[in-house]
Every structure is written in structure tokens, then in C-alpha cells.
Amino acid sequence: MLSAKSLFQEILDDDESFRLFCSIAASGETQGGWENARIAALVPASEQQLVPKITRHGADEDKHGRIFNALMKKRGLEPVPVPPETDYTMLLERQGIGVAHAKLKADQPLTVQDIITYLAHSRVTEQRAAEQMVMLRKYFADHPQVGKAVRMISGDEDNHLAYTHEELLRFAAEGQGRFIQRTLRECALAEIRIHRDVSLAVMDRMGRILGWSRARSALLAAGIHAVYAYERFAGWRRMVTLRMPERRNALGGPATPAPEFV
């Protein structure tokens, strides 16, 4: 039976597919850590109260990268180079989504609109991350090998999503509502397209590693296209709505360490 649980279990059980999965995840999280660290260093004077939260966001992303690398190490595996077509974070940046890396590599303070752009980008991508981790937590929260990692990362992604809602609502109350909604919509429509392309690329790689039949690969590809069609029609709207989260000030403290993984 083809299901999300059986698919991930198959990837988890094979060393090569597990290594590719963890390598892609670790690379994306590490890149996110770098981006947040640079943004924290360049926050404009008027928004300095955000620096500790952005710093924690980056520390969480770095921690997730270390966790995925540690999961590989426990199985005696080394990371593999990430195929460019599977590099979700870099593909988003190349599409102009989020704060451009040219700005992050400079030493000039960002503008308030840059910070809003960062938050909108994070709100969209953290929605995707939180949903994916909810799925993994549903099936693998008690798994002896990856259960602790899934629970920890899932909790962090929920915090990140809550934080972006709260901060964007604050900026909206300050008169930035139209810019926020325009930026969220642009990010969401780009994200769903890139998520489709990356999903197809990852499944193609996994299929070659695991020896999937053409019929099975075609079925998975059709499912990915169906999800994209739904998201392009209406599903993207869940990524642009804003509501005050139950979890307030979610990034108001230090990052939670993960000593069992590093």
C-alpha cells in the first residue's frame, strides 16, 4: 500500500535513501541558520527588539542541521552533496523570495520592509515545515531511531510559525498590512511551485536508489502534481492568512539544546 508512512519507512530503512534525505534536510536547515544569523546582525535600529528572536530562530535551524547530521553519523553514514534541483532553500532565494543574499553578505543595515519580507518568507516556509513535521510526528514520534528528532524539530517549527504570525500582525497594526499581504502571496505562489519541483526531483532520486517501478514513480509524480494543482487553486491561502497564535512570544527565550544528538 502506498502511503506517506510506508514511503518514509522505505526511505528510512535504506542507508542510501536515508543519507540523501538527511543530507538535503541538513543542508537546508544550515542555510536557514546562516540566513537568520545574518539578518539578526543587520536588523535596523528601530527593530532591535527582534534580534534575540531572529537569533534564536537561526540557532534552532543550526541545531536541526546538526541533528540530521547526527542521525547519519549514528548509522555510520557521511553526508552526500545536495543535488541542485533538490535544494529548496537556494531555489527560493534564486526566485527572489526572501531577503537577497547580496544584502545579507553586505554590512548595511536592512530596512523595515526587508524585515517584513524575511518574516513573510518565514511564515510561508515554516507553514510547510510545520505541516511536514506534524505528518512525521503522527507516524514516527515513537520511532527508536528518529522519534526524538522528529518531536524536537516539530516543536521548534511550531514555535517558528507562531512567531511569524505574531510579528507580522504587529507590523500590520503599524500600517504595513498591504505590503505584508502582497509579499505573503508572492512567497506562497513561488513556494508551492518550488515545493512541487523539489518534491519531483527528490522522488526521482529516491526511486532510482530504491529501484521503484515506472508505474510507482509515475503514481507518486501524479500525486505531487495533484497536490500542486490544489495548492495553486486554493491551498496557498492557508499560507497567507494571519491569526494571533495561542503560543505567544514563542521565540522569547534561548534555543532548546539537543545534547543527545550532538
Side-chain angles (χ1 to χ4, degrees), residues 141-215:
D142 297 322
H143 190 279
Q145 184 179 3
V146 301
K148 285 182 180 179
V150 165
R151 294 193 303 272
M152 176 170 287
I153 295 172
S154 182
D156 288 343
E157 304 296 10
D158 289 344
N159 283 338
H160 300 166
L161 187 57
Y163 147 74
T164 61
H165 275 268
E166 187 172 5
E167 296 301 334
L168 285 170
L169 285 169
R170 176 175 66 84
F171 278 113
E174 294 173 1
Q176 298 280 1
R178 288 187 178 181
F179 178 69
I180 290 169
Q181 283 302 314
R182 185 169 67 249
T183 306
L184 282 170
R185 186 178 189 275
E186 179 185 349
C187 287
L189 292 176
E191 193 280 339
I192 63 171
R193 184 178 66 253
I194 289 168
H195 180 260
R196 175 202 61 191
D197 294 345
V198 168
S199 297
L200 289 169
V202 170
M203 287 301 103
D204 179 65
R205 294 267 176 172
M206 294 299 180
R208 281 183 268 163
I209 290 170
L210 296 168
W212 291 343
S213 67
R214 288 187 179 181

Side-chain angles (χ1 to χ4, degrees), residues 40-212:
L42 301 174
V43 170
S46 63
E47 298 300 328
Q48 284 297 298
Q49 76 278 6
L50 280 175
V51 171
K53 296 179 181 181
I54 299 172
T55 300
R56 176 174 168 183
H57 191 180
D60 283 344
E61 304 286 0
D62 281 335
K63 177 182 69 179
H64 299 168
R66 294 195 303 273
I67 288 172
F68 283 113
N69 281 315
L71 289 173
M72 285 188 279
K73 186 176 180 180
K74 285 183 178 180
R75 282 174 60 163
L77 304 173
E78 293 292 329
V80 294
V82 174
E85 68 274 17
T86 70
D87 196 332
Y88 171 83
T89 305
M90 291 305 299
L91 288 170
L92 282 169
E93 197 272 336
R94 288 172 187 164
Q95 287 293 310
I97 302 304
V99 182
H101 282 191
K103 284 190 175 183
L104 298 184
K105 291 175 181 177
D107 288 323
Q108 297 298 317
L110 299 174
T111 66
V112 169
Q113 288 201 332
D114 287 331
I115 298 301
I116 293 172
T117 297
Y118 146 71
L119 287 167
H121 171 229
S122 296
R123 187 262 175 273
V124 169
T125 56
E126 295 295 348
Q127 178 80 37
R128 180 76 67 188
E131 289 172 352
Q132 290 177 333
M133 293 312 302
V134 165
M135 182 272 292
L136 290 177
R137 191 172 63 206
K138 177 181 178 181
Y139 297 124
F140 296 98
D142 297 322
H143 190 279
Q145 184 179 3
V146 301
K148 285 182 180 179
V150 165
R151 294 193 303 272
M152 176 170 287
I153 295 172
S154 182
D156 288 343
E157 304 296 10
D158 289 344
N159 283 338
H160 300 166
L161 187 57
Y163 147 74
T164 61
H165 275 268
E166 187 172 5
E167 296 301 334
L168 285 170
L169 285 169
R170 176 175 66 84
F171 278 113
E174 294 173 1
Q176 298 280 1
R178 288 187 178 181
F179 178 69
I180 290 169
Q181 283 302 314
R182 185 169 67 249
T183 306
L184 282 170
R185 186 178 189 275
E186 179 185 349
C187 287
L189 292 176
E191 193 280 339
I192 63 171
R193 184 178 66 253
I194 289 168
H195 180 260
R196 175 202 61 191
D197 294 345
V198 168
S199 297
L200 289 169
V202 170
M203 287 301 103
D204 179 65
R205 294 267 176 172
M206 294 299 180
R208 281 183 268 163
I209 290 170
L210 296 168
W212 291 343

